[in-house]
Amino acid sequence: MNTVKTIRELRAAIAQARAEGKQIGFVPTMGNLHAGHAALVEKAVQRADFVVASIFVNPLQFGPSEDLDKYPRTLAADQQKLFDAGCHLLFTPDVEEMYPNGMDGQTRISVPGVSEGLCGASRPGHFEGVATVVTKLFNMVQPDLAIFGQKDYQQLAVIRALVRDLNMPIQIIGEPTVRAQDGLALSSRNGYLTEPQRAAAPALYHSLEHMAEAIRGGERDFPQLVAIAQQQQIAAGFRPDYLEVREANSLRPATGADHQLVILVAAFIGSTRLIDNLTLDLGAAR
Ligand code: PAF
């Protein structure tokens, strides 16, 4: 696996793979990789002949009071994990390479609708930063397909919308969330948790499972379910940010008549903000 830092080297390596008739798969990341990222790369290896990953901690998607500076940079360990998962090429640009005109001089991509509410409300500008960097990376790599984790459910919806709206010929594949045995979704931010916080953290997903169980049992009073689940989160030591039931494809607020649902949550444990989600297909229950 080669690691390149410049767009020129990246394009040269990809041009060579293309000249050999290879399909290009892409997995963009911010590094500090875990088994969830390895699953994305493994999926890309199954679906494409030449797999490119990127590691770039994108300042444009962090708010002023967020964890940009303390976001873990673990390049050597990440390279090993990518190599083990079968990645062929790693792109690790610096901020200058990605934003040569500075952040203020950068053209931005804004995706209406699915960017609004949820993390879009809690983290103003976040999805504009994500959509902008992903668009730039897509233009640099020009992949046939790109793979993202479903743990960042709203991000995946934003990326699907931008690819559709900007007519990019890229297949977007969402991969299921990888969880620890106790149910906690794997996340780079889990590394910030103290031991007691880590022990309490699975309660977040368990509160979603309780909601899902009630919905599968016929309950449709979503505000009531949210209130109960947030009490469970608070009892476990969380400070709720949001908890909502949405229609799974459009992300509009769910009604009792919807069959494809997603429950999305964000909550703080100490100063660490965790997100998770659970999708429900009620089609068979009709
Ligand atoms: O999910 C992430 O790691 C990032 O938001 C992404 C998609 C790599 C863009 O910086």
Side-chain angles (χ1 to χ4, degrees):
M1 183 187 77
N2 267 346
T3 299
V4 295
K5 287 183 70 76
T6 65
I7 299 163
R8 197 178 50 78
E9 293 167 297
L10 173 77
R11 289 206 160 123
I14 292 172
Q16 191 180 330
R18 281 254 180 245
E20 291 164 12
K22 293 180 173 163
Q23 293 263 99
I24 311 297
F26 181 41
V27 181
T29 80
M30 297 207 301
N32 194 225
L33 304 181
H34 49 66
H37 296 105
L40 304 183
V41 174
E42 282 157 14
K43 175 48 100 54
V45 170
Q46 286 166 19
R47 300 288 293 263
D49 312 304
F50 188 80
V51 173
V52 182
S54 62
I55 295 179
F56 178 62
V57 183
N58 174 33
L60 212 56
Q61 70 188 72
F62 286 78
S65 60
E66 293 183 347
D67 56 347
L68 173 64
D69 291 335
K70 73 167 186 171
Y71 200 88
R73 272 82 168 168
T74 53
L75 181 61
D78 291 347
Q79 282 170 313
Q80 187 60 52
K81 287 181 185 138
L82 290 169
F83 175 78
D84 291 345
C87 179
H88 301 100
L89 179 68
L90 171 62
F91 180 46
T92 59
D94 59 21
V95 174
E96 260 291 292
E97 185 74 3
M98 289 299 286
Y99 300 119
N101 301 318
M103 241 69 85
D104 294 338
Q106 172 63 51
T107 300
R108 312 273 178 123
I109 303 292
S110 149
V111 179
V114 288
S115 293
E116 289 149 24
L118 305 168
C119 287
S122 310
R123 305 182 66 189
H126 171 68
F127 286 121
E128 191 175 274
V130 170
T132 300
V133 80
V134 169
T135 301
K136 285 171 72 78
L137 289 165
F138 280 175
N139 283 332
M140 292 168 193
V141 175
Q142 300 190 356
D144 297 287
L145 58 92
I147 314 223
F148 294 85
Q150 285 169 1
K151 182 184 149 273
D152 295 297
Y153 195 93
Q154 191 178 12
Q155 167 173 283
L156 182 57
V158 167
I159 291 162
R160 286 193 197 284
L162 91 82
V163 163
R164 179 197 66 211
D165 291 352
L166 300 180
N167 308 94
M168 296 180 177
I170 302 173
Q171 186 190 358
I172 302 299
I173 299 171
E175 268 293 286
T177 302
V178 178
R179 299 184 180 280
Q181 277 201 336
D182 57 11
L184 180 67
L186 297 194
S187 162
S188 300
R189 294 198 163 93
N190 294 349
Y192 299 150
L193 302 177
T194 62
E195 228 174 89
Q197 288 170 347
R198 173 63 190 81
L204 192 64
Y205 183 58
H206 295 151
S207 71
L208 303 190
E209 288 185 309
H210 292 144
M211 286 179 77
E213 209 178 297
I215 294 171
R216 281 195 201 97
E219 180 58 76
R220 292 294 182 275
D221 185 346
F222 299 139
Q224 169 74 1
L225 291 177
V226 164
I228 295 169
Q230 286 191 321
Q231 282 313 316
Q232 291 167 350
Q233 292 166 17
I234 291 165
F238 280 94
R239 179 163 54 83
D241 178 354
Y242 65 75
L243 174 61
E244 293 194 37
V245 186
R246 298 274 182 122
E247 199 283 323
N249 301 304
S250 60
L251 279 189
R252 64 164 167 68
T255 70
D258 289 321
H259 295 288
Q260 313 287 329
L261 301 179
V262 57
I263 311 171
L264 301 119
V265 67
F268 289 89
I269 186 154
S271 57
T272 303
R273 183 174 175 278
L274 298 181
I275 61 170
D276 205 344
N277 65 79
L278 192 161
T279 51
L280 272 159
D281 181 354
L282 303 174
R286 265 180 285 178

